[in-house]
Amino acid sequence: MTTNTADANFYSKADITIDELEKALAAYTPQAAYPHDEFVKICVEEACLSIREGNNGVGSCLVRDGQVIVRGHNQGHHPYFRSDRHGEMTVMTAFEDQYKNAPDMHTYTLFTSLEPCPMCTVRLITAGVGQVYWGALDPESGMMATMERMTPVWAEMAKRQEFGPAKCSPELSRMAKQVWLISANTVQDRVRKRRRLHEASFAG
């Protein structure tokens, strides 16, 4: 659902509550037929934590040789407003702070519950993360599924990396989408209100 109306909802309404989603997620067992299930489930768990804190429902984890190195979630509004603290950003910042001379990033894989936005896409290209997989597509503001929209320099750099939907079950992919939708419009409204306050102060 795309709209140009400033105060309209950009995203459809979730058809599940956070309580219902957490219950379903806790009951879900990763399936051998879907090699990325374990990691996408971690991302959705992190996204649920994010919602409980009052942030966007997006979680991520960085993996190497099948081991989770760092996991985290969106912290854009709590504990205080940070425009850069998307789920992928918190994970990459934590990793880079801990491993200041990181080895070849081509051996790392980042999983995220939702397709990365343009800001996170550029960060991940710059970092050189070997593979990036998402649990749910974001046709409204995702960038990786339409990499041809990138400027030539970034598009060329991205050719050295692999981006795509995670090999997870349809059930987990649906949870990843729903956990985002639970918070999407509420948090978007909060951003718009904050911007209006800034615009009013400049106008005054």
Side-chain angles (χ1 to χ4, degrees):
M1 177 176 67
T2 304
T3 177
N4 293 322
T5 304
D7 290 319
N9 287 338
F10 282 92
Y11 298 94
S12 57
K13 186 177 180 181
D15 56 18
I16 190 171
T17 68
I18 184 62
D19 290 335
E20 292 168 336
L21 193 149
E22 286 178 329
K23 183 178 180 180
L25 185 63
Y28 183 84
T29 301
Q31 303 177 39
Y34 300 101
H36 294 165
D37 262 14
E38 175 187 356
F39 307 116
V40 174
K41 182 177 181 180
I42 287 171
C43 293
V44 179
E45 289 172 349
E46 287 289 335
C48 289
L49 290 174
S50 188
I51 287 178
R52 293 297 188 186
E53 294 174 353
N55 296 306
N56 272 322
V58 179
S60 304
C61 65
L62 188 65
V63 175
R64 187 185 189 197
D65 296 330
Q67 299 297 315
V68 176
I69 308 301
V70 182
R71 56 188 287 174
H73 55 265
N74 185 289
Q75 296 176 344
H77 296 271
H78 177 86
Y80 56 89
F81 181 77
R82 278 285 300 268
S83 58
D84 64 322
R85 298 287 283 176
H86 287 196
E88 301 93 327
M89 291 287 203
T90 61
V91 166
M92 291 306 301
T93 297
F95 175 80
E96 290 170 356
D97 283 347
Q98 183 175 355
Y99 302 97
K100 293 180 173 59
N101 295 301
D104 181 11
M105 292 302 297
H106 188 72
T107 60
Y108 288 80
T109 301
L110 185 132
F111 292 91
T112 186
S113 57
L114 189 72
E115 179 192 358
C117 71
M119 176 176 72
C120 294
T121 297
V122 169
R123 172 80 182 267
L124 294 166
I125 293 172
T126 302
V129 178
Q131 299 82 36
V132 180
Y133 301 118
W134 58 84
L137 192 68
D138 182 5
E140 300 294 345
S141 56
M143 175 59 76
M144 287 192 170
T146 53
M147 197 67 77
E148 68 274 6
R149 292 186 293 165
M150 298 289 290
T151 58
V153 171
W154 294 112
E156 180 62 30
M157 289 177 64
K159 289 179 181 178
R160 300 175 177 85
Q161 297 159 274
E162 181 179 329
F163 307 98
K167 299 177 178 68
C168 66
S169 71
E171 184 177 355
L172 261 186
S173 182
R174 178 181 175 278
M175 290 187 205
K177 184 69 170 184
Q178 290 299 310
V179 75
W180 162 247
L181 292 177
I182 288 169
S183 64
N185 287 314
T186 299
V187 175
Q188 183 69 24
D189 285 342
R190 195 180 305 159
V191 171
R192 283 192 289 240
K193 288 176 183 176
R194 186 177 185 278
R195 287 176 59 86
R196 280 197 289 268
L197 286 175
H198 282 285
E199 290 164 2
S201 66
F202 283 125

